[in-house]
Amino acid sequence: MLLFAFSCTKDKVDFPSGNGSTGLNGLVFGTDEAIYYDFESEQITVLGDHLCNPYSVTNMALAGASISWNGDIVETHKYVRFLPNSPQDLKVLDDSDLELFDTPFDYEVVTQGTYYHDPVLTREDYTWLYTVVPTNFQSSSIIANTGISYEVIESLHLPDDNDDSDPLVYAAFERCGLEHQLEEEDEPQGRLAFLRLKKRDVIGNINIHNTEFNGNEPLRNVGIVARSWFKIRVGFTDASGNFNSNAKFRTHALVKMVFENNRFSIRGLATVGIWRMYKPNEKMIGLFAFRGMTNIQYTVDKTSNSNLTIRSRDWVLATMLNGAEYFNAYMNNNSIYYNQGRISIWATGLGNYASAPMLKTMNSPFHATYFATYFLLRGDVSAAASSLIVSMYGTILGDVLIGYAERVNYSSFIHEVVFHELAHAYHYGLVGTCYWTNYINYIVANGGYGDGNGQHADKVAVGEAFAYDLEKIVGFNKYPNITFGTGNKNYHQLGEESNGLVDHPWIPTGLFYDIWDNTPSNGIPSNDIVSLNLDEIYTSINVTNQWECYLDFSLIKNRYNSAHPTLQGSIDAIFNHHGN
């Protein structure tokens, strides 16, 4: 379902009239034209003329008087802007759920880029963020006790979508010299012709290239934002990658995808304006004329093997989102559910390490500097940029961090690390903060998995064994036919043959796989097949209670044996095989 939001000046000024049938990047408004965007590197948006605002209350009132309009013309919305001044301000804006844009709505766009920065402000500063709010919006609910500057740019009258308001809308655009934006080329022109036109939904399909299939697959549950003047619609693609605004647009629409939904949000390191990481990554799809918006076809393609271009970043982040959605669906199909809210993923092309500290969900900045430094800043980053990244992460916080520098070439490699880290996230959803805090403390104190000794090493052993085995289970379900390494082993074979993590043999990878698997595994007799359901394995790795947060392999084995006394010999054999 697509949600609905309206989102643009102070005193009346003289505006340029329309410039014929084009205006935004040369788009011919009343056609089936579409301008698709695919940026290799960051480019600044270039603005042109300040346009007359057809939806201002003043303009609407004058337009209404010109056609003897009988309806009320009152303020329904406000066109506003915010200027943050710190990472803390950005967090407030991110938490507000306002749909914010860095480009003002009432200017001609000469060249569309990946970002805009107000030229009055220095390039190192934050920039103004624009949106539309209802007339009863209380700014104090957001800006109180912050350093955020707030301005109401103009009062708006945004009519309903019903056809009764069409004469008023046409008169308002005509008064601004923008009526060409409402007319279809090669069709009769003028007010009467416009009144016969049907308003259009924004409809399309988004795919993503999968390197393992050498083809495309639907991009599922990615956010889609469509904006036409002050009308904004926010929604998501379905399982087939299809989307429909279910809302009527009268003129051209700018459409972008946002790597966020109700389950996951994904941020990538910004190469221009690090502060822009306050919100999930966005990728511009294109600008669509009136007839062109009803059949948008877009593929997030893989066109570069570099880990540092924004084109690669966008493909990697979209691949991560698809992997996260696949993982969630697989878990749900096995009656396993995550109920701790949206999982925040931060990704970087500067390294290859990954972790799931779950700081966002726990709302705890402890060790934030360690995780930002160790997992996000693996490359050549200036001291100033490093400081801001650490500050951003410590304020906005994230649950999962993934480096993809050496994973950028293959969809399966990206999905594998997503499956692994989400296995940790779902484990956190089961065991809670007490267990996870001790787990993370051990990781930080030992700079990784450690040597298996010391307090809380057992938590690392259980958690990592579960994550490594679950990545193989979900990986084989997703990619049953691909193989890896000199032995050409698939995920199932790798899971069966695993018997302890290389360099960390005290982490018994393969144990949970063998408990779940229904075929003979290497070193385990065929009559010792247990084949428990995944949801039972998941439940078995819960703590005794949220206060003691106790869990180890003897407790897990006892749970299996108590539930399946006839399988006790086989269960003991599998645990013994894996050193437990």
Side-chain angles (χ1 to χ4, degrees), residues 399-524:
D399 295 313
V400 172
L401 302 99
I402 297 177
Y404 58 83
E406 294 181 7
R407 298 182 174 99
V408 71
N409 291 330
Y410 301 101
S411 300
S412 62
F413 287 5
I414 297 168
H415 285 160
E416 180 181 301
V417 70
V418 169
F419 298 161
H420 182 103
E421 298 308 328
L422 290 184
H424 285 310
Y426 277 60
H427 190 194
Y428 163 81
L430 191 66
V431 298
T433 298
C434 171
Y435 182 97
W436 215 254
T437 300
N438 291 329
Y439 190 161
I440 295 305
N441 282 340
Y442 184 91
I443 293 288
V444 173
N446 289 274
Y449 297 153
D451 59 5
N453 296 311
Q455 188 179 19
H456 307 308
D458 52 350
K459 294 177 174 59
V460 175
V462 172
E464 295 303 330
F466 175 72
Y468 275 102
D469 287 354
L470 188 55
E471 83 179 37
K472 303 295 190 300
I473 292 171
V474 183
F476 184 67
N477 189 266
K478 172 70 175 175
Y479 298 109
N481 299 317
I482 66 170
T483 58
F484 304 91
T486 55
N488 289 323
K489 305 291 179 64
N490 60 29
Y491 278 119
H492 175 61
Q493 292 167 318
L494 293 173
E496 282 191 319
E497 296 178 6
S498 182
N499 187 15
L501 188 62
V502 176
D503 297 329
H504 302 280
W506 55 276
I507 298 176
T509 55
L511 188 155
F512 293 111
Y513 199 99
D514 288 336
I515 290 290
W516 167 83
D517 188 19
N518 62 1
T519 60
S521 296
N522 185 35
I524 299 176

Side-chain angles (χ1 to χ4, degrees), residues 38-43 303-304 306 308-312:
D38 188 17
F39 297 99
E40 178 72 19
S41 58
E42 300 282 9
Q43 297 180 31
T303 57
S304 171
S306 169
L308 297 177
T309 67
I310 65 168
R311 183 178 291 162
S312 287

Side-chain angles (χ1 to χ4, degrees), residues 349-396:
L350 296 178
N352 299 293
Y353 296 98
S355 185
M358 303 304 294
L359 301 189
K360 175 79 169 181
T361 299
M362 292 194 293
N363 192 28
S364 173
F366 81 112
H367 299 318
T369 298
Y370 168 84
F371 284 103
T373 303
Y374 194 79
F375 291 91
L376 295 178
L377 302 176
R378 304 300 298 181
D380 184 15
V381 182
S382 70
S386 297
S387 176
L388 184 52
I389 290 171
V390 169
S391 178
M392 287 290 295
Y393 183 75
T395 304
I396 307 296

Side-chain angles (χ1 to χ4, degrees), residues 11-283:
D11 299 323
K12 189 79 169 73
V13 297
D14 291 329
F15 295 96
S17 62
N19 57 342
S21 61
T22 65
L24 301 176
N25 293 277
L27 185 77
V28 181
F29 289 103
T31 67
D32 58 359
E33 277 196 3
I35 299 174
Y36 288 90
Y37 300 123
D38 188 17
F39 297 99
E40 178 72 19
S41 58
E42 300 282 9
Q43 297 180 31
I44 191 167
T45 296
V46 179
L47 299 184
D49 292 330
H50 189 192
L51 300 174
C52 172
N53 178 1
Y55 290 103
S56 73
V57 170
T58 300
N59 188 69
M60 277 281 179
L62 292 170
S66 71
I67 59 171
S68 302
W69 182 254
N70 293 322
D72 292 333
I73 298 176
V74 297
E75 180 187 270
T76 61
H77 295 79
K78 294 182 176 72
Y79 172 39
V80 303
R81 66 179 186 173
F82 300 88
L83 181 63
N85 287 289
S86 69
Q88 290 74 22
D89 292 347
L90 292 168
K91 184 178 188 303
V92 170
L93 292 174
D94 182 48
D95 291 343
S96 74
D97 288 331
L98 291 172
E99 195 60 45
L100 298 166
F101 297 77
D102 61 11
T103 306
F105 298 176
D106 52 349
Y107 277 79
E108 181 184 21
V109 176
V110 176
T111 303
Q112 181 66 55
T114 56
Y115 72 100
Y116 177 74
H117 197 94
D118 193 316
V120 175
L121 306 170
T122 66
R123 290 291 295 274
E124 291 74 27
D125 283 342
Y126 303 101
T127 198
W128 288 100
L129 301 172
Y130 300 79
T131 193
V132 168
V133 295
T135 190
N136 61 353
F137 171 75
Q138 299 295 317
S139 61
S140 59
S141 64
I142 293 179
I143 66 174
N145 302 315
T146 73
I148 300 172
S149 299
Y150 169 74
E151 292 183 7
V152 176
I153 300 173
E154 195 155 32
S155 295
L156 305 174
H157 177 74
L158 302 178
D160 294 334
D161 285 343
N162 63 66
D163 293 338
D164 294 342
S165 62
D166 285 352
L168 176 62
V169 172
Y170 189 90
F173 273 74
E174 187 176 43
R175 187 176 178 279
C176 283
L178 299 172
E179 66 273 17
H180 59 278
Q181 294 190 10
L182 302 174
E183 297 167 344
E184 287 198 271
E185 194 176 63
D186 305 324
E187 296 289 340
Q189 305 295 298
R191 180 180 292 122
L192 293 179
F194 168 68
L195 298 182
R196 291 195 296 269
L197 291 178
K198 291 183 178 180
K199 294 179 280 292
R200 307 290 177 102
D201 293 328
V202 174
I203 301 171
N205 178 266
I206 308 294
N207 286 300
I208 182 169
H209 182 75
N210 188 308
T211 60
E212 308 301 346
F213 305 149
N214 196 26
N216 302 327
E217 59 183 354
L219 183 53
R220 301 186 294 182
N221 209 19
V222 67
I224 301 294
V225 178
R227 182 179 69 81
S228 180
W229 277 94
F230 304 104
K231 177 181 284 189
I232 303 172
R233 294 295 184 270
V234 181
F236 306 92
T237 57
D238 62 17
S240 299
N242 298 320
F243 62 91
N244 187 329
S245 67
N246 294 315
K248 306 300 182 181
F249 286 82
R250 290 181 166 96
T251 183
H252 62 281
L254 186 69
V255 183
K256 65 182 179 180
M257 69 179 76
V258 180
F259 298 125
E260 180 179 54
N261 55 43
N262 61 322
R263 290 186 284 267
F264 307 102
S265 66
I266 303 182
R267 290 167 171 81
L269 285 188
T271 56
V272 174
I274 291 171
W275 64 269
R276 298 174 192 275
M277 293 189 301
Y278 83 93
K279 62 180 179 178
N281 248 71
E282 299 177 349
K283 178 175 175 58

